[in-house]
């Protein structure tokens, strides 16, 4: 910590006849040092202080050099004078010892008629010179000004001097002035009461204007803030939120119902986390109530039974149809034609995408098919190698739209509106492959910071092999898309390492101090 100037300030003020200007009294002290002493003494009425700002002339590095060693012209003169036989022009820089000084100084020396050219040598015209520039700079150095505006303007142009803004205080004695600074007690202690010291102690007055100590409170995680913005966008566009409170799914809802074949690499242990206890879910029952948690049927199937048989949610039928469409082909599809294993479908997994929830909701929609818009934002799990940009869990933002007459062009158009609401305008679509959508498109956006196209989402139109076993009308079309919540959050908060955003390495200050987020909607 810098030295406390309080005693010196009091001493200077005691010795002075009138006001004291701090920049004069303490030319080497820093502003912070002066200010903290002045503030302390002012608040206790030892002194009154008036801030006075003024402009002073100060020397630049070059100006200081000249004040010390002479002007460029004088240094050239010295070099020429020292060479008694005259100095060859080409030897001047070496003789001066500085090419720049030689270059700028020779002009000055000629103009002052200190040197002259004699063939290819330079000769001095006199023995002594008056180095006016050096003198004037020395004067500026001590007086901080010069009474010759023309010269000052010239020095400014040559960058010998600059204007310095000086913030100083004009100090006068205050009503409680004393040469001794008495430290005020901030606490009345039991010891002071016992010893009687409180009678003579100087107690610090209460400062009722002081801000209270910050109260600790909870703070929303940046991911939650961005999630909030996404939810608003979905609600604004007429979406309903899907129930995502089921992290453990069956292979059936996570994969089979999505027409993901049982040999698909995504179902490998290296990609998906499997639950070992319980080892598997119950198979669907003919009568879906009562349900077992984790079973392919929903945990609370409180659905209405409708009169028409094919309109009720028959999970057994659904299960059989999913099997058929994989193994033998059905609904006009030739299927994958492999022996479908029920056990694979009953394995319990940490859901790898929220599309498991969308599937469950779309199956429910088949009870009463109608145009629908659903969304969810929640956590999914993948057996990834953890690095700067990947964790084994992340949050997926997912939406589905069911309606009649939907087209691929409509999906592209929708994406432009949806991402446009987040301020993302420049979109490109690339054909992609998902087992459950056809066609499928990856969505790219031009990243101005990275100067390249980055993938921001995956989308497509769900396949009939997925929708028809659910009992949805053949002519109903459904869009689906998904993106991570982490990527836009990292961009928004300038986080480069995902482990600083999520997990045990997160700095709580980062969470508490981040502002609310507003996606830039230009
Ligand atoms: N499930 C896909 C993913 O995890 C996203 C998606 C959802 C794609 C719906 C198409 C349709 O990336």
């Amino acid at each position: 910590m810098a030295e406390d100037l309080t005693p010196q300030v009091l001493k200077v003020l005691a010795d002075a006849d009138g006001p004291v200007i701090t920049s004069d009294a303490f030319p080497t002290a820093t502003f912070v040092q002066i200010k903290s002493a002045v503030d302390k003494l002012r608040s206790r009425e030892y002194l009154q202080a008036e801030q006075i700002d003024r402009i002073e002339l100060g020397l630049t590095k070059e100006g200081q050099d000249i004040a010390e060693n002479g002007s460029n012209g004088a240094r050239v003169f010295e070099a020429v004078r020292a060479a008694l036989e005259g100095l060859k022009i080409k030897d001047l820089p070496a003789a001066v010892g500085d090419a720049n000084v030689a270059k700028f100084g020779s002009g000055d020396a000629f103009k002052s008629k200190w040197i002259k050219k004699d063939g290819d040598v330079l000769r001095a015209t006199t023995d002594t010179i008056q180095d006016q520039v050096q003198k004037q700079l020395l004067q500026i150095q001590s007086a901080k000004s010069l009474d010759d505006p023309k010269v000052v303007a010239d020095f400014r142009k040559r960058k010998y001097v600059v204007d310095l803004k000086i913030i100083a205080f004009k100090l006068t004695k205050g009503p409680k002035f004393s040469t001794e600074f008495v430290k005020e007690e901030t606490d009345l202690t039991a010891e002071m009461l016992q010893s009687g010291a409180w009678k003579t102690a100087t107690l610090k007055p209460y400062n009722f204007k002081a801000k209270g100590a910050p109260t600790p409170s909870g703070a929303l995680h940046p991911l939650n803030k961005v999630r909030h913005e996404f939810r608003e966008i979905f609600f604004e566009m007429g979406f309903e939120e899907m129930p995502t409170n089921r992290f453990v799914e069956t292979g059936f809802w996570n994969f089979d119902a999505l027409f993901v074949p049982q040999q698909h690499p995504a179902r490998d242990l290296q990609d998906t986390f499997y639950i070992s206890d319980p080892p598997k879910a119950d198979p669907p029952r003919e009568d879906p109530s009562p349900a077992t948690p984790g079973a392919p049927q929903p945990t609370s199937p409180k659905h209405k039974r409708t009169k028409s048989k094919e309109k009720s949610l028959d999970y057994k039928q659904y299960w059989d149809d999913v099997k058929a469409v994989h193994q033998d082909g059905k609904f006009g599809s030739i299927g994958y034609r492999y022996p479908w294993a029920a056990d694979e479908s009953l394995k319990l997994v940490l859901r790898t995408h929220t599309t498991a929830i969308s599937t469950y909701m779309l199956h429910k929609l088949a009870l009463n098919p109608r145009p629908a818009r659903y969304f969810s934002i929640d956590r999914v799990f993948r057996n990834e190698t953890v690095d700067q940009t990947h964790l084994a869990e992340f949050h997926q933002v997912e939406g589905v739209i069911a309606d009649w007459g939907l087209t691929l062009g409509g999906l592209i158009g929708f994406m432009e509106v949806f991402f446009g609401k987040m301020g993302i305008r420049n979109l490109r679509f690339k054909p992609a492959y998902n087992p459950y959508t056809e066609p499928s498109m990856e969505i790219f956006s031009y990243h101005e910071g990275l100067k390249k196209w980055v993938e921001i989402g995956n989308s497509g139109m769900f396949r009939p092999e997925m929708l028809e076993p659910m009992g949805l009308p053949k002519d109903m079309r459904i869009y689906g898309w998904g993106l991570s919540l982490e990527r836009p959050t990292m961009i928004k908060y300038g986080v480069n390492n995902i482990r600083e955003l999520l997990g045990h390495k997160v700095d709580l200050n980062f969470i508490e101090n981040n502002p609310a987020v507003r996606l830039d909607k230009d």
Side-chain angles (χ1 to χ4, degrees):
M1 231 185 78
E3 190 198 354
D4 178 17
L5 284 186
T6 313
Q8 284 97 310
V9 171
L10 290 177
K11 177 154 189 344
V12 169
L13 207 51
D15 294 347
D17 287 336
V20 166
I21 307 292
T22 52
S23 58
D24 297 339
F26 305 99
T28 54
T30 65
F31 176 69
V32 175
Q33 255 178 313
I34 292 179
K35 173 119 166 61
S36 73
V38 166
D39 282 349
K40 189 153 96 185
L41 293 169
R42 172 162 50 187
S43 69
R44 301 185 193 159
E45 297 180 38
Y46 278 70
L47 53 75
Q48 280 140 2
E50 182 195 338
Q51 189 174 323
I52 44 172
D53 300 348
R54 58 165 197 258
I55 304 291
E56 278 182 1
L57 267 190
L59 300 190
T60 62
K61 215 164 163 272
E62 198 181 350
Q64 272 169 23
D65 184 36
I66 292 172
E68 234 167 84
N69 304 313
S71 69
N72 296 338
R75 288 169 69 180
V76 166
F77 165 78
E78 275 310 320
V80 173
R81 196 190 55 94
L84 296 172
E85 298 301 308
L87 187 65
K88 288 228 167 74
I89 293 178
K90 66 171 173 40
D91 295 336
L92 182 66
V96 173
D98 184 316
N100 275 329
V101 173
K103 190 167 119 199
F104 298 119
S106 48
D108 291 346
F110 277 122
K111 225 189 290 163
S112 310
K113 301 211 166 60
W114 293 337
I115 59 169
K116 63 171 195 254
K117 227 193 265 181
D118 184 1
D120 63 346
V121 292
L122 300 169
R123 287 186 202 287
T125 58
T126 167
D127 274 340
T128 52
I129 55 160
Q130 290 289 330
D131 190 351
Q132 198 54 23
V133 172
Q134 182 185 31
K135 253 169 89 188
Q136 284 160 326
L137 286 173
L138 282 168
Q139 195 178 337
I140 292 172
Q141 197 170 44
S142 61
K144 317 281 184 220
S145 67
L146 187 74
D147 218 5
D148 190 336
K150 253 171 122 177
V151 172
V152 172
D154 181 49
F155 284 178
R156 248 193 217 114
K157 214 167 75 193
R158 292 173 181 236
K159 301 208 163 65
Y160 294 169
V161 299
V162 281
D163 289 331
L164 298 175
K165 187 176 179 199
I166 305 295
I167 306 172
F169 295 96
K170 184 175 159 189
L171 308 178
T172 43
K173 289 178 187 159
K176 298 200 180 145
F177 180 80
S178 149
T179 47
E180 194 135 339
F181 182 73
V182 184
K183 204 174 158 285
E184 293 169 318
E185 300 294 344
T186 49
D187 281 314
L188 189 59
T189 62
E191 290 74 32
M192 286 163 79
L193 294 175
Q194 267 164 359
S195 70
W198 64 272
K199 288 183 211 159
T200 50
T202 312
L203 292 169
K204 187 176 186 198
Y206 274 113
N207 175 6
F208 292 105
K209 288 183 188 150
K211 283 187 193 164
T215 339
S217 66
L220 278 186
H221 191 279
L223 280 173
N224 265 328
K225 295 182 191 167
V226 176
R227 177 171 181 267
H228 174 87
E229 282 283 297
F230 275 108
R231 287 180 88 226
E232 292 294 306
I233 291 171
F234 277 116
F235 286 134
E236 191 180 300
M237 298 184 83
F239 282 76
E240 280 173 66
E241 192 161 19
M242 295 186 266
T244 49
N245 51 353
R246 202 156 45 167
F247 286 9
V248 177
E249 277 291 358
T250 54
F252 179 84
W253 287 111
N254 198 78
F255 297 121
D256 294 286
L258 281 136
F259 201 48
V260 179
Q262 294 187 331
Q263 318 71 27
H264 193 279
R267 301 179 75 148
D268 281 354
L269 227 89
Q270 299 93 281
D271 291 290
T272 300
F273 291 116
Y274 286 88
I275 305 292
S276 54
D277 183 17
K280 60 179 184 164
D282 290 345
R285 299 179 185 88
E286 300 285 340
D287 176 359
S289 58
T292 314
Q297 65 266 38
T299 43
S300 55
K302 285 194 203 117
H303 58 272
K304 302 176 275 228
R305 285 247 163 203
T306 48
K307 270 159 255 149
S308 133
K309 183 88 177 94
E310 73 274 8
K311 273 213 155 187
S312 66
L313 281 180
D314 185 336
Y315 287 91
K316 182 66 171 61
Q317 180 64 49
Y318 181 35
W319 160 269
D320 288 342
D321 280 344
V322 167
K323 171 181 179 177
V325 80
H326 278 245
Q327 182 172 289
D328 312 306
K330 199 172 173 178
F331 309 107
S333 168
I334 63 167
Y336 289 122
R337 291 179 280 176
Y338 68 93
W340 188 84
D343 270 355
E344 205 55 50
S345 196
L346 297 176
K347 278 185 179 166
L348 292 166
V349 302
L350 286 181
R351 68 172 176 228
T352 63
H353 51 187
T354 42
T355 320
I357 312 287
S358 303
T359 306
Y360 168 70
M361 292 301 286
L362 291 174
H363 178 237
K364 262 175 90 153
L365 184 70
L367 259 185
N368 178 15
R370 63 192 186 284
R373 294 180 160 210
Y374 299 141
F375 82 94
S376 68
I377 307 174
D378 208 347
R379 204 169 281 210
V380 299
F381 306 86
R382 291 185 193 173
N383 197 354
E384 300 249 20
T385 313
V386 173
D387 67 19
Q388 291 249 326
T389 51
H390 295 91
L391 289 181
E393 53 194 290
F394 65 98
H395 295 78
Q396 208 163 40
V397 180
E398 168 140 343
V400 295
I401 298 181
D403 208 339
W404 283 271
L406 297 182
T407 64
L408 189 68
L411 175 57
I412 292 176
F414 176 83
M415 287 301 150
E416 272 157 5
V417 177
F418 176 75
F419 282 102
K421 285 183 183 281
M422 296 168 220
I424 301 174
R425 310 236 161 251
N426 219 346
L427 295 188
R428 275 188 186 174
F429 299 89
K430 179 179 155 190
Y433 174 76
N434 294 315
Y436 38 93
T437 51
E438 183 61 37
S440 312
M441 300 184 301
E442 278 168 1
I443 307 160
F444 285 76
S445 154
Y446 191 74
H447 194 297
E448 286 298 341
L450 299 175
K451 295 269 173 259
K452 64 173 187 187
W453 291 89
V454 293
E455 196 201 326
I456 51 169
N458 178 12
S459 67
M461 298 184 71
F462 288 117
R463 293 183 77 106
E465 285 95 333
M466 168 176 163
L467 301 181
E468 290 194 32
M470 293 174 171
L472 284 163
K474 264 187 184 306
D475 55 349
M476 191 168 220
R477 296 287 171 270
I478 302 184
Y479 301 150
W481 70 98
L483 54 135
S484 91
L485 183 63
E486 277 75 0
R487 178 162 278 177
T489 307
M490 287 171 77
I491 293 172
K492 187 82 209 170
Y493 287 96
V495 176
N496 292 323
N497 188 337
I498 197 162
R499 285 168 285 195
E500 285 165 24
L501 187 67
L502 214 62
H504 66 285
K505 287 196 180 152
V506 170
D507 174 2
L508 281 182
N509 286 320
F510 165 78
I511 307 294
E512 278 176 12
N513 298 336
N514 266 311
V517 64
R518 289 288 171 266
L519 297 167
D520 306 316
K521 297 161 202 166
D522 28 36

